[in-house]
Amino acid sequence: MIIAEKTADTTSNISVTNKNDYNRFGDDMKDGRMTENSDLKVYRLREAINLSRQLGRPLTDDEMKTFEC
């Protein structure tokens, strides 16, 4: 036989301020984006990651420019 306990409803513990923030989530993002616009650059990331692993360090901006398409 399985016996389960009823636990308190946790949603009632959320403050009124947090509920208001939750209800207005996305109001500042009129076009639906959650990040800034892309710079439209495309990189060959697999090659860049492999070079970074070989070097044992992050690539510099100049090194990343060599991987732009």
Side-chain angles (χ1 to χ4, degrees), residues 7-28:
T7 58
D9 182 15
T10 57
T11 58
S12 62
N13 295 334
I14 299 173
S15 70
V16 173
T17 304
N18 288 340
K19 283 184 182 178
N20 289 339
D21 288 343
Y22 177 81
N23 290 332
R24 57 176 227 87
F25 177 78
D27 286 350
D28 297 331

Side-chain angles (χ1 to χ4, degrees), residues 16-42:
V16 173
T17 304
N18 288 340
K19 283 184 182 178
N20 289 339
D21 288 343
Y22 177 81
N23 290 332
R24 57 176 227 87
F25 177 78
D27 286 350
D28 297 331
M29 300 173 277
K30 299 297 182 198
D31 59 0
R33 273 185 262 161
M34 296 180 75
T35 60
E36 293 185 23
N37 290 337
S38 170
D39 59 3
L40 300 177
K41 292 182 182 176
V42 179

